[in-house]
PDB file of all heavy atoms in Angstrom:
ATOM      1  N   SER A 136     107.752 114.116  15.109  1.00  0.00           N
ATOM      2  CA  SER A 136     107.525 115.465  15.009  1.00  0.00           C
ATOM      3  C   SER A 136     106.805 116.127  16.217  1.00  0.00           C
ATOM      4  O   SER A 136     106.387 115.286  17.155  1.00  0.00           O
ATOM      5  CB  SER A 136     106.692 115.760  13.790  1.00  0.00           C
ATOM      6  OG  SER A 136     105.381 115.252  13.907  1.00  0.00           O
ATOM      7  N   ARG A 137     106.635 117.367  16.250  1.00  0.00           N
ATOM      8  CA  ARG A 137     105.913 118.020  17.344  1.00  0.00           C
ATOM      9  C   ARG A 137     104.420 117.483  17.479  1.00  0.00           C
ATOM     10  O   ARG A 137     103.914 117.421  18.560  1.00  0.00           O
ATOM     11  CB  ARG A 137     105.803 119.518  17.237  1.00  0.00           C
ATOM     12  CG  ARG A 137     107.174 120.237  17.366  1.00  0.00           C
ATOM     13  CD  ARG A 137     107.039 121.695  17.272  1.00  0.00           C
ATOM     14  NE  ARG A 137     108.317 122.336  17.299  1.00  0.00           N
ATOM     15  CZ  ARG A 137     108.828 122.774  18.447  1.00  0.00           C
ATOM     16  NH1 ARG A 137     108.268 122.557  19.587  1.00  0.00           N
ATOM     17  NH2 ARG A 137     110.069 123.329  18.437  1.00  0.00           N
ATOM     18  N   SER A 138     103.863 117.147  16.407  1.00  0.00           N
ATOM     19  CA  SER A 138     102.563 116.593  16.445  1.00  0.00           C
ATOM     20  C   SER A 138     102.438 115.130  16.472  1.00  0.00           C
ATOM     21  O   SER A 138     101.388 114.533  16.425  1.00  0.00           O
ATOM     22  CB  SER A 138     101.780 117.175  15.258  1.00  0.00           C
ATOM     23  OG  SER A 138     102.391 116.709  14.052  1.00  0.00           O
ATOM     24  N   GLY A 139     103.637 114.430  16.519  1.00  0.00           N
ATOM     25  CA  GLY A 139     103.709 113.070  16.498  1.00  0.00           C
ATOM     26  C   GLY A 139     103.297 112.381  17.843  1.00  0.00           C
ATOM     27  O   GLY A 139     102.967 113.074  18.781  1.00  0.00           O
ATOM     28  N   SER A 140     103.433 111.068  17.944  1.00  0.00           N
ATOM     29  CA  SER A 140     103.132 110.398  19.143  1.00  0.00           C
ATOM     30  C   SER A 140     104.360 109.758  19.715  1.00  0.00           C
ATOM     31  O   SER A 140     105.186 109.120  18.949  1.00  0.00           O
ATOM     32  CB  SER A 140     102.142 109.247  18.914  1.00  0.00           C
ATOM     33  OG  SER A 140     101.883 108.558  19.999  1.00  0.00           O
ATOM     34  N   PRO A 141     104.666 109.889  21.045  1.00  0.00           N
ATOM     35  CA  PRO A 141     103.788 110.635  22.057  1.00  0.00           C
ATOM     36  C   PRO A 141     103.954 112.133  21.851  1.00  0.00           C
ATOM     37  O   PRO A 141     105.126 112.528  21.533  1.00  0.00           O
ATOM     38  CB  PRO A 141     104.329 110.098  23.330  1.00  0.00           C
ATOM     39  CG  PRO A 141     105.732 109.628  23.164  1.00  0.00           C
ATOM     40  CD  PRO A 141     105.708 109.218  21.706  1.00  0.00           C
ATOM     41  N   ARG A 142     102.963 112.922  22.185  1.00  0.00           N
ATOM     42  CA  ARG A 142     102.921 114.315  21.752  1.00  0.00           C
ATOM     43  C   ARG A 142     104.137 115.164  22.294  1.00  0.00           C
ATOM     44  O   ARG A 142     104.736 115.841  21.557  1.00  0.00           O
ATOM     45  CB  ARG A 142     101.599 114.847  22.298  1.00  0.00           C
ATOM     46  CG  ARG A 142     101.405 116.330  21.936  1.00  0.00           C
ATOM     47  CD  ARG A 142     100.006 116.852  22.255  1.00  0.00           C
ATOM     48  NE  ARG A 142      99.853 118.222  22.049  1.00  0.00           N
ATOM     49  CZ  ARG A 142      99.689 118.753  20.795  1.00  0.00           C
ATOM     50  NH1 ARG A 142      99.689 117.959  19.677  1.00  0.00           N
ATOM     51  NH2 ARG A 142      99.521 120.053  20.633  1.00  0.00           N
ATOM     52  N   ASN A 143     104.390 115.076  23.536  1.00  0.00           N
ATOM     53  CA  ASN A 143     105.386 115.955  24.122  1.00  0.00           C
ATOM     54  C   ASN A 143     106.711 115.228  24.537  1.00  0.00           C
ATOM     55  O   ASN A 143     107.431 115.792  25.286  1.00  0.00           O
ATOM     56  CB  ASN A 143     104.851 116.753  25.359  1.00  0.00           C
ATOM     57  CG  ASN A 143     103.864 117.740  24.851  1.00  0.00           C
ATOM     58  OD1 ASN A 143     104.026 118.507  24.021  1.00  0.00           O
ATOM     59  ND2 ASN A 143     102.698 117.828  25.604  1.00  0.00           N
ATOM     60  N   ARG A 144     106.897 114.103  24.025  1.00  0.00           N
ATOM     61  CA  ARG A 144     108.067 113.275  24.401  1.00  0.00           C
ATOM     62  C   ARG A 144     109.342 114.002  24.336  1.00  0.00           C
ATOM     63  O   ARG A 144     110.270 113.950  25.069  1.00  0.00           O
ATOM     64  CB  ARG A 144     108.068 111.943  23.806  1.00  0.00           C
ATOM     65  CG  ARG A 144     109.178 110.988  24.234  1.00  0.00           C
ATOM     66  CD  ARG A 144     108.980 109.622  23.748  1.00  0.00           C
ATOM     67  NE  ARG A 144     107.897 108.931  24.468  1.00  0.00           N
ATOM     68  CZ  ARG A 144     107.440 107.695  24.274  1.00  0.00           C
ATOM     69  NH1 ARG A 144     107.991 107.048  23.284  1.00  0.00           N
ATOM     70  NH2 ARG A 144     106.471 107.219  24.965  1.00  0.00           N
ATOM     71  N   LEU A 145     109.537 114.681  23.156  1.00  0.00           N
ATOM     72  CA  LEU A 145     110.777 115.309  22.770  1.00  0.00           C
ATOM     73  C   LEU A 145     110.701 116.808  23.088  1.00  0.00           C
ATOM     74  O   LEU A 145     111.687 117.567  22.770  1.00  0.00           O
ATOM     75  CB  LEU A 145     111.204 115.002  21.405  1.00  0.00           C
ATOM     76  CG  LEU A 145     111.418 113.538  20.998  1.00  0.00           C
ATOM     77  CD1 LEU A 145     111.842 113.468  19.533  1.00  0.00           C
ATOM     78  CD2 LEU A 145     112.390 112.920  21.930  1.00  0.00           C
ATOM     79  N   TYR A 146     109.591 117.314  23.552  1.00  0.00           N
ATOM     80  CA  TYR A 146     109.496 118.814  23.807  1.00  0.00           C
ATOM     81  C   TYR A 146     109.071 119.039  25.213  1.00  0.00           C
ATOM     82  O   TYR A 146     107.880 118.983  25.549  1.00  0.00           O
ATOM     83  CB  TYR A 146     108.493 119.303  22.889  1.00  0.00           C
ATOM     84  CG  TYR A 146     108.890 119.151  21.408  1.00  0.00           C
ATOM     85  CD1 TYR A 146     108.641 117.997  20.735  1.00  0.00           C
ATOM     86  CD2 TYR A 146     109.845 120.054  20.789  1.00  0.00           C
ATOM     87  CE1 TYR A 146     109.167 117.780  19.366  1.00  0.00           C
ATOM     88  CE2 TYR A 146     110.320 119.873  19.430  1.00  0.00           C
ATOM     89  CZ  TYR A 146     109.970 118.678  18.828  1.00  0.00           C
ATOM     90  OH  TYR A 146     110.454 118.513  17.578  1.00  0.00           O
ATOM     91  N   PRO A 147     110.065 119.233  26.169  1.00  0.00           N
ATOM     92  CA  PRO A 147     109.764 119.321  27.541  1.00  0.00           C
ATOM     93  C   PRO A 147     109.313 120.770  28.068  1.00  0.00           C
ATOM     94  O   PRO A 147     109.277 121.013  29.147  1.00  0.00           O
ATOM     95  CB  PRO A 147     110.993 118.963  28.224  1.00  0.00           C
ATOM     96  CG  PRO A 147     112.067 119.426  27.172  1.00  0.00           C
ATOM     97  CD  PRO A 147     111.515 119.178  25.925  1.00  0.00           C
ATOM     98  N   ARG A 148     109.034 121.628  26.992  1.00  0.00           N
ATOM     99  CA  ARG A 148     108.713 123.032  27.375  1.00  0.00           C
ATOM    100  C   ARG A 148     107.505 123.090  28.367  1.00  0.00           C
ATOM    101  O   ARG A 148     107.488 123.940  29.304  1.00  0.00           O
ATOM    102  CB  ARG A 148     108.466 123.812  26.136  1.00  0.00           C
ATOM    103  CG  ARG A 148     108.200 125.235  26.377  1.00  0.00           C
ATOM    104  CD  ARG A 148     109.330 125.954  26.978  1.00  0.00           C
ATOM    105  NE  ARG A 148     110.444 126.043  25.995  1.00  0.00           N
ATOM    106  CZ  ARG A 148     111.636 126.581  26.271  1.00  0.00           C
ATOM    107  NH1 ARG A 148     111.852 126.978  27.491  1.00  0.00           N
ATOM    108  NH2 ARG A 148     112.596 126.462  25.460  1.00  0.00           N
ATOM    109  N   GLN A 149     106.426 122.269  28.085  1.00  0.00           N
ATOM    110  CA  GLN A 149     105.331 122.391  28.929  1.00  0.00           C
ATOM    111  C   GLN A 149     105.615 122.064  30.432  1.00  0.00           C
ATOM    112  O   GLN A 149     105.255 122.639  31.330  1.00  0.00           O
ATOM    113  CB  GLN A 149     104.185 121.432  28.411  1.00  0.00           C
ATOM    114  CG  GLN A 149     102.909 121.512  29.231  1.00  0.00           C
ATOM    115  CD  GLN A 149     101.776 120.631  28.649  1.00  0.00           C
ATOM    116  OE1 GLN A 149     102.106 119.774  27.839  1.00  0.00           O
ATOM    117  NE2 GLN A 149     100.594 120.787  29.106  1.00  0.00           N
ATOM    118  N   LEU A 150     106.357 120.932  30.607  1.00  0.00           N
ATOM    119  CA  LEU A 150     106.779 120.535  31.944  1.00  0.00           C
ATOM    120  C   LEU A 150     107.632 121.654  32.623  1.00  0.00           C
ATOM    121  O   LEU A 150     107.526 121.911  33.823  1.00  0.00           O
ATOM    122  CB  LEU A 150     107.497 119.199  31.931  1.00  0.00           C
ATOM    123  CG  LEU A 150     107.966 118.700  33.201  1.00  0.00           C
ATOM    124  CD1 LEU A 150     106.938 118.495  34.254  1.00  0.00           C
ATOM    125  CD2 LEU A 150     108.767 117.276  33.079  1.00  0.00           C
ATOM    126  N   GLU A 151     108.512 122.151  31.827  1.00  0.00           N
ATOM    127  CA  GLU A 151     109.382 123.299  32.363  1.00  0.00           C
ATOM    128  C   GLU A 151     108.437 124.539  32.850  1.00  0.00           C
ATOM    129  O   GLU A 151     108.693 124.947  33.913  1.00  0.00           O
ATOM    130  CB  GLU A 151     110.386 123.724  31.261  1.00  0.00           C
ATOM    131  CG  GLU A 151     111.333 124.830  31.783  1.00  0.00           C
ATOM    132  CD  GLU A 151     112.242 125.301  30.690  1.00  0.00           C
ATOM    133  OE1 GLU A 151     112.028 124.873  29.529  1.00  0.00           O
ATOM    134  OE2 GLU A 151     113.168 126.020  30.988  1.00  0.00           O
ATOM    135  N   ASP A 152     107.565 124.878  31.926  1.00  0.00           N
ATOM    136  CA  ASP A 152     106.640 125.984  32.228  1.00  0.00           C
ATOM    137  C   ASP A 152     105.908 125.688  33.563  1.00  0.00           C
ATOM    138  O   ASP A 152     105.733 126.601  34.419  1.00  0.00           O
ATOM    139  CB  ASP A 152     105.747 126.285  31.168  1.00  0.00           C
ATOM    140  CG  ASP A 152     106.533 126.881  29.953  1.00  0.00           C
ATOM    141  OD1 ASP A 152     107.668 127.331  30.058  1.00  0.00           O
ATOM    142  OD2 ASP A 152     105.998 126.883  28.698  1.00  0.00           O
ATOM    143  N   GLN A 153     105.371 124.487  33.667  1.00  0.00           N
ATOM    144  CA  GLN A 153     104.528 124.136  34.840  1.00  0.00           C
ATOM    145  C   GLN A 153     105.435 124.122  36.101  1.00  0.00           C
ATOM    146  O   GLN A 153     104.952 124.562  37.193  1.00  0.00           O
ATOM    147  CB  GLN A 153     103.875 122.775  34.617  1.00  0.00           C
ATOM    148  CG  GLN A 153     102.820 122.764  33.433  1.00  0.00           C
ATOM    149  CD  GLN A 153     102.251 121.338  33.160  1.00  0.00           C
ATOM    150  OE1 GLN A 153     102.984 120.364  33.493  1.00  0.00           O
ATOM    151  NE2 GLN A 153     101.174 121.328  32.498  1.00  0.00           N
ATOM    152  N   THR A 154     106.618 123.510  35.940  1.00  0.00           N
ATOM    153  CA  THR A 154     107.474 123.514  37.172  1.00  0.00           C
ATOM    154  C   THR A 154     107.845 124.994  37.648  1.00  0.00           C
ATOM    155  O   THR A 154     107.829 125.244  38.846  1.00  0.00           O
ATOM    156  CB  THR A 154     108.714 122.884  36.823  1.00  0.00           C
ATOM    157  OG1 THR A 154     108.461 121.458  36.392  1.00  0.00           O
ATOM    158  CG2 THR A 154     109.725 122.689  37.973  1.00  0.00           C
ATOM    159  N   LYS A 155     108.176 125.870  36.733  1.00  0.00           N
ATOM    160  CA  LYS A 155     108.454 127.173  37.098  1.00  0.00           C
ATOM    161  C   LYS A 155     107.249 128.014  37.624  1.00  0.00           C
ATOM    162  O   LYS A 155     107.411 128.822  38.552  1.00  0.00           O
ATOM    163  CB  LYS A 155     109.002 128.003  35.822  1.00  0.00           C
ATOM    164  CG  LYS A 155     110.382 127.541  35.473  1.00  0.00           C
ATOM    165  CD  LYS A 155     110.920 128.364  34.269  1.00  0.00           C
ATOM    166  CE  LYS A 155     112.284 127.934  33.876  1.00  0.00           C
ATOM    167  NZ  LYS A 155     112.848 128.637  32.724  1.00  0.00           N
ATOM    168  N   LYS A 156     106.084 127.698  37.121  1.00  0.00           N
ATOM    169  CA  LYS A 156     104.851 128.275  37.599  1.00  0.00           C
ATOM    170  C   LYS A 156     104.502 127.914  39.032  1.00  0.00           C
ATOM    171  O   LYS A 156     104.186 128.659  39.865  1.00  0.00           O
ATOM    172  CB  LYS A 156     103.629 127.973  36.685  1.00  0.00           C
ATOM    173  CG  LYS A 156     102.377 128.644  37.129  1.00  0.00           C
ATOM    174  CD  LYS A 156     101.189 128.301  36.177  1.00  0.00           C
ATOM    175  CE  LYS A 156      99.914 129.012  36.559  1.00  0.00           C
ATOM    176  NZ  LYS A 156      99.457 128.712  37.958  1.00  0.00           N
ATOM    177  N   LEU A 157     104.750 126.500  39.233  1.00  0.00           N
ATOM    178  CA  LEU A 157     104.555 126.014  40.652  1.00  0.00           C
ATOM    179  C   LEU A 157     105.470 126.559  41.573  1.00  0.00           C
ATOM    180  O   LEU A 157     105.113 126.983  42.698  1.00  0.00           O
ATOM    181  CB  LEU A 157     104.637 124.500  40.518  1.00  0.00           C
ATOM    182  CG  LEU A 157     104.469 123.783  41.936  1.00  0.00           C
ATOM    183  CD1 LEU A 157     103.050 124.027  42.495  1.00  0.00           C
ATOM    184  CD2 LEU A 157     104.635 122.277  41.724  1.00  0.00           C
ATOM    185  N   GLN A 158     106.816 126.731  41.167  1.00  0.00           N
ATOM    186  CA  GLN A 158     107.779 127.396  42.057  1.00  0.00           C
ATOM    187  C   GLN A 158     107.387 128.828  42.373  1.00  0.00           C
ATOM    188  O   GLN A 158     107.491 129.304  43.571  1.00  0.00           O
ATOM    189  CB  GLN A 158     109.224 127.266  41.390  1.00  0.00           C
ATOM    190  CG  GLN A 158     110.255 127.912  42.173  1.00  0.00           C
ATOM    191  CD  GLN A 158     111.520 127.972  41.382  1.00  0.00           C
ATOM    192  OE1 GLN A 158     111.795 127.299  40.438  1.00  0.00           O
ATOM    193  NE2 GLN A 158     112.525 128.824  41.826  1.00  0.00           N
ATOM    194  N   LYS A 159     106.977 129.545  41.413  1.00  0.00           N
ATOM    195  CA  LYS A 159     106.534 130.920  41.597  1.00  0.00           C
ATOM    196  C   LYS A 159     105.293 131.009  42.450  1.00  0.00           C
ATOM    197  O   LYS A 159     105.248 131.882  43.346  1.00  0.00           O
ATOM    198  CB  LYS A 159     106.303 131.545  40.151  1.00  0.00           C
ATOM    199  CG  LYS A 159     105.881 133.039  40.223  1.00  0.00           C
ATOM    200  CD  LYS A 159     105.726 133.524  38.783  1.00  0.00           C
ATOM    201  CE  LYS A 159     105.389 135.009  38.855  1.00  0.00           C
ATOM    202  NZ  LYS A 159     105.177 135.605  37.453  1.00  0.00           N
ATOM    203  N   ASP A 160     104.372 130.136  42.281  1.00  0.00           N
ATOM    204  CA  ASP A 160     103.076 130.143  43.069  1.00  0.00           C
ATOM    205  C   ASP A 160     103.429 129.890  44.639  1.00  0.00           C
ATOM    206  O   ASP A 160     102.852 130.430  45.430  1.00  0.00           O
ATOM    207  CB  ASP A 160     102.125 129.281  42.455  1.00  0.00           C
ATOM    208  CG  ASP A 160     101.492 129.655  41.191  1.00  0.00           C
ATOM    209  OD1 ASP A 160     101.643 130.867  40.901  1.00  0.00           O
ATOM    210  OD2 ASP A 160     100.901 128.865  40.451  1.00  0.00           O
ATOM    211  N   MET A 161     104.364 128.852  44.724  1.00  0.00           N
ATOM    212  CA  MET A 161     104.745 128.527  46.119  1.00  0.00           C
ATOM    213  C   MET A 161     105.341 129.760  46.802  1.00  0.00           C
ATOM    214  O   MET A 161     105.179 129.923  47.997  1.00  0.00           O
ATOM    215  CB  MET A 161     105.574 127.230  46.110  1.00  0.00           C
ATOM    216  CG  MET A 161     104.896 125.939  45.766  1.00  0.00           C
ATOM    217  SD  MET A 161     103.585 125.626  46.881  1.00  0.00           S
ATOM    218  CE  MET A 161     104.447 125.662  48.509  1.00  0.00           C
ATOM    219  N   LYS A 162     106.250 130.459  45.982  1.00  0.00           N
ATOM    220  CA  LYS A 162     106.921 131.609  46.624  1.00  0.00           C
ATOM    221  C   LYS A 162     105.921 132.691  47.002  1.00  0.00           C
ATOM    222  O   LYS A 162     106.035 133.301  48.011  1.00  0.00           O
ATOM    223  CB  LYS A 162     107.903 132.167  45.625  1.00  0.00           C
ATOM    224  CG  LYS A 162     108.700 133.249  46.120  1.00  0.00           C
ATOM    225  CD  LYS A 162     109.609 132.858  47.223  1.00  0.00           C
ATOM    226  CE  LYS A 162     110.747 133.839  47.575  1.00  0.00           C
ATOM    227  NZ  LYS A 162     110.143 135.177  47.997  1.00  0.00           N
ATOM    228  N   LYS A 163     104.886 132.921  46.084  1.00  0.00           N
ATOM    229  CA  LYS A 163     103.897 133.813  46.394  1.00  0.00           C
ATOM    230  C   LYS A 163     103.173 133.493  47.694  1.00  0.00           C
ATOM    231  O   LYS A 163     102.763 134.329  48.506  1.00  0.00           O
ATOM    232  CB  LYS A 163     102.954 133.988  45.187  1.00  0.00           C
ATOM    233  CG  LYS A 163     103.482 134.706  44.041  1.00  0.00           C
ATOM    234  CD  LYS A 163     102.505 134.884  42.973  1.00  0.00           C
ATOM    235  CE  LYS A 163     102.990 135.743  41.799  1.00  0.00           C
ATOM    236  NZ  LYS A 163     101.888 135.732  40.686  1.00  0.00           N
ATOM    237  N   SER A 164     102.782 132.163  47.774  1.00  0.00           N
ATOM    238  CA  SER A 164     101.967 131.678  48.919  1.00  0.00           C
ATOM    239  C   SER A 164     102.783 131.915  50.240  1.00  0.00           C
ATOM    240  O   SER A 164     102.121 132.354  51.222  1.00  0.00           O
ATOM    241  CB  SER A 164     101.721 130.239  48.776  1.00  0.00           C
ATOM    242  OG  SER A 164     101.062 129.673  49.765  1.00  0.00           O
ATOM    243  N   THR A 165     104.146 131.614  50.264  1.00  0.00           N
ATOM    244  CA  THR A 165     104.867 131.769  51.512  1.00  0.00           C
ATOM    245  C   THR A 165     105.023 133.240  51.820  1.00  0.00           C
ATOM    246  O   THR A 165     105.013 133.592  53.030  1.00  0.00           O
ATOM    247  CB  THR A 165     106.234 131.020  51.487  1.00  0.00           C
ATOM    248  OG1 THR A 165     106.870 131.501  50.174  1.00  0.00           O
ATOM    249  CG2 THR A 165     106.068 129.516  51.261  1.00  0.00           C
ATOM    250  N   ASP A 166     105.167 133.987  50.749  1.00  0.00           N
ATOM    251  CA  ASP A 166     105.329 135.436  51.078  1.00  0.00           C
ATOM    252  C   ASP A 166     104.102 136.006  51.687  1.00  0.00           C
ATOM    253  O   ASP A 166     104.053 136.885  52.653  1.00  0.00           O
ATOM    254  CB  ASP A 166     105.640 136.164  49.708  1.00  0.00           C
ATOM    255  CG  ASP A 166     107.107 136.045  49.283  1.00  0.00           C
ATOM    256  OD1 ASP A 166     107.898 135.442  50.068  1.00  0.00           O
ATOM    257  OD2 ASP A 166     107.451 136.285  48.131  1.00  0.00           O
ATOM    258  N   ALA A 167     102.972 135.605  51.117  1.00  0.00           N
ATOM    259  CA  ALA A 167     101.725 136.043  51.629  1.00  0.00           C
ATOM    260  C   ALA A 167     101.397 135.564  53.133  1.00  0.00           C
ATOM    261  O   ALA A 167     100.874 136.269  53.881  1.00  0.00           O
ATOM    262  CB  ALA A 167     100.512 135.556  50.799  1.00  0.00           C
ATOM    263  N   ASP A 168     101.884 134.379  53.388  1.00  0.00           N
ATOM    264  CA  ASP A 168     101.662 133.826  54.748  1.00  0.00           C
ATOM    265  C   ASP A 168     102.526 134.710  55.692  1.00  0.00           C
ATOM    266  O   ASP A 168     102.040 135.054  56.815  1.00  0.00           O
ATOM    267  CB  ASP A 168     102.178 132.396  54.767  1.00  0.00           C
ATOM    268  CG  ASP A 168     101.162 131.342  54.290  1.00  0.00           C
ATOM    269  OD1 ASP A 168     100.042 131.796  54.042  1.00  0.00           O
ATOM    270  OD2 ASP A 168     101.518 130.217  54.058  1.00  0.00           O
ATOM    271  N   LEU A 169     103.764 134.973  55.306  1.00  0.00           N
ATOM    272  CA  LEU A 169     104.645 135.775  56.237  1.00  0.00           C
ATOM    273  C   LEU A 169     104.026 137.237  56.397  1.00  0.00           C
ATOM    274  O   LEU A 169     104.044 137.729  57.504  1.00  0.00           O
ATOM    275  CB  LEU A 169     106.047 135.828  55.605  1.00  0.00           C
ATOM    276  CG  LEU A 169     106.895 134.643  55.736  1.00  0.00           C
ATOM    277  CD1 LEU A 169     108.315 134.807  55.037  1.00  0.00           C
ATOM    278  CD2 LEU A 169     107.120 134.255  57.200  1.00  0.00           C
TER     279      LEU A 169
END
C-alpha cells in the first residue's frame, strides 16, 4: 500500500516532482546568468 514498506517504491510521484523542480530551477539559474 501507499503506507507500506518500502514507502515510495510503487509511487514515483515524489521523484518526478523533484526532477521537474530541479529542471525548472536550473533553467531559472541559467536565465538569470544570461
Side-chain angles (χ1 to χ4, degrees):
S136 66
R137 288 183 185 270
S138 59
S140 177
R142 180 171 177 78
N143 289 318
R144 180 167 290 177
L145 296 183
Y146 297 90
R148 181 65 64 184
Q149 183 180 13
L150 179 59
E151 179 181 11
D152 291 344
Q153 290 173 344
T154 302
K155 289 181 177 179
K156 183 179 184 302
L157 180 58
Q158 179 184 345
K159 184 177 180 180
D160 289 344
M161 287 301 307
K162 184 64 167 60
K163 285 183 178 180
S164 176
T165 54
D166 287 347
D168 281 350
L169 285 178

